[in-house]
Amino acid sequence: MRRVIQSFAVYPFLLTTIGLLLPTATLGDDPSATGTAKDLFNGKDLTGWHVDVPDADDNPDIQPSFVVRDGKLVSMGTPRGHLITDQSYSDYRLEVEYRFAGKPGNCGVLVHASTPRALYKMFPQSIEVQMMHENAGDFWCIHENIVVSDMASRRPGDPSTWGGKQGQSRRILNLTDGSEKPPGQWNRMVVECADDQVKVWVNGDLVNEGFDCTAEQGQIALQAEGSEVEFRKVQLTPIRQISDQVPENQASDQ
C-alpha cells in the first residue's frame, strides 16, 4: 500500500514536468499562425486615427475629408490628405473592403507610414498600395523603396531613376488590372507585411509582391485623393510570415 501511495504522490509532479516540456500553440511557435484580428475602424467614429490635411492648417473650419456615414468610414476625396492610425504596426495582414461611392477615381492605402508630408508637402513617407480605379495594387514608393522580381518590366524609367523621392521613378505596376469589381460593388484588398516583404491581393487575385522594403514597420493611412470612397472593413491581424496563397475566406465578395 505504501508503494501505491508514493506512486500517486509522484504523479502530479510528473504531469507538471511533462506539461512544461510540451510545446504550446502560440503565435511565436507556428510560423503560419495568426493573432487575434483587430478592427481598426469601429463602425462608429474615428477613434484610433488622426487626420492630416494640409489645407486645414490655415482653415480649421474646412469641411472634413473623412467622416463616418451609415456605419462606414468615408473618404470624401477632398480636401486632399490622409487618415493615419495613431499606432504603428509590423508583421500583419490588413484587410480592407471598399467601393467607390460615385464616379470611380483615385485613393490608396499606405503601409509603413512615418514622416508626415515627406513628399510634395502632402504624402507621408511610406509604401502606397494603389486603389485607383483600374490600377488597384500598384506600388508607389514615397521616400521608401521596394523591389519586385521583374522590376525591368514593371517599373518605368531607367534603373538609375528608381526610388521614392521627388523626380524619381516611384511607381511599380501591378500584375493585373482586371481584378476590381465594377464601380459601386465592394472590393476586398488584402495586404500582408512581414519583415521586408509586402504582398497584395484584390478580390482573390495576387496583384503585387515585393521584397527588400526599406521599412518594416509604421503607421497605416487611408487617402483622400479626389474621389469619394466608402470603407466597411479595415481590419488588422498579426502574422508571422507572408501567406503563399490568398488567405482563407478572402477570395470572394460577401
Side-chain angles (χ1 to χ4, degrees):
M1 177 65 71
R2 183 179 302 170
R3 290 181 180 176
V4 174
I5 294 174
Q6 288 176 342
S7 297
F8 277 95
V10 173
Y11 188 60
F13 171 77
L14 291 175
L15 285 177
T16 302
T17 303
I18 293 171
L20 291 173
L21 294 175
L22 288 174
T24 56
T26 65
L27 184 60
D29 296 327
D30 182 358
S32 64
T34 62
T36 302
K38 173 184 178 180
D39 289 319
L40 299 184
F41 169 55
N42 62 19
K44 299 180 294 184
D45 55 37
L46 300 181
T47 298
W49 301 80
H50 61 274
V51 175
D52 182 30
V53 174
D55 284 351
D57 291 351
D58 298 323
N59 184 6
D61 296 325
I62 197 170
Q63 66 180 12
S65 301
F66 301 92
V67 300
V68 176
R69 183 178 67 202
D70 298 328
K72 303 177 187 66
L73 192 164
V74 184
S75 169
M76 302 303 294
T78 57
R80 296 181 183 238
H82 296 83
L83 183 67
I84 306 170
T85 58
D86 295 336
Q87 295 185 30
S88 293
Y89 301 94
S90 63
D91 299 335
Y92 58 84
R93 174 184 305 136
L94 180 67
E95 301 175 30
V96 177
E97 294 182 0
Y98 72 97
R99 69 179 179 184
F100 289 98
K103 182 179 179 180
N106 201 4
C107 193
V109 57
L110 279 54
V111 298
H112 302 332
S114 56
T115 305
R117 306 187 189 183
L119 182 69
Y120 305 134
K121 298 181 180 180
M122 169 65 73
F123 301 94
Q125 183 171 337
S126 60
I127 297 292
E128 177 186 348
V129 181
Q130 181 68 272
M131 289 180 172
M132 185 177 185
H133 181 53
E134 297 183 342
N135 292 277
D138 286 2
F139 287 145
W140 281 88
C141 300
I142 306 173
H143 280 238
E144 299 288 2
N145 208 6
I146 195 167
V147 176
V148 298
S149 58
D150 48 350
M151 286 274 279
S153 61
R154 291 206 286 131
R155 192 162 194 171
D158 186 270
S160 64
T161 68
W162 294 346
K165 296 184 178 180
Q166 184 173 348
Q168 294 183 316
S169 180
R170 301 186 297 106
R171 184 184 185 187
I172 301 176
L173 302 175
N174 62 20
L175 295 168
T176 169
D177 281 336
S179 299
E180 298 171 57
K181 299 291 181 67
Q185 295 187 22
W186 290 100
N187 294 283
R188 178 179 286 111
M189 175 178 281
V190 178
V191 183
E192 289 193 345
C193 301
D195 297 325
D196 64 355
Q197 302 175 67
V198 179
K199 193 170 183 177
V200 185
W201 294 265
V202 173
N203 297 322
D205 293 341
L206 176 64
V207 296
N208 223 329
E209 183 174 11
F211 55 93
D212 284 348
C213 185
T214 53
E216 297 184 11
Q217 64 179 352
Q219 295 159 295
I220 295 167
L222 303 176
Q223 290 185 319
E225 203 173 12
S227 298
E228 185 174 322
V229 182
E230 294 180 337
F231 297 86
R232 67 179 182 184
K233 180 179 183 180
V234 184
Q235 187 180 80
L236 182 143
T237 304
I239 61 174
R240 288 287 295 163
Q241 65 180 20
I242 297 290
S243 302
D244 292 330
Q245 298 179 339
V246 61
E248 186 178 358
N249 297 328
Q250 301 305 315
S252 61
D253 192 22
Q254 294 180 345

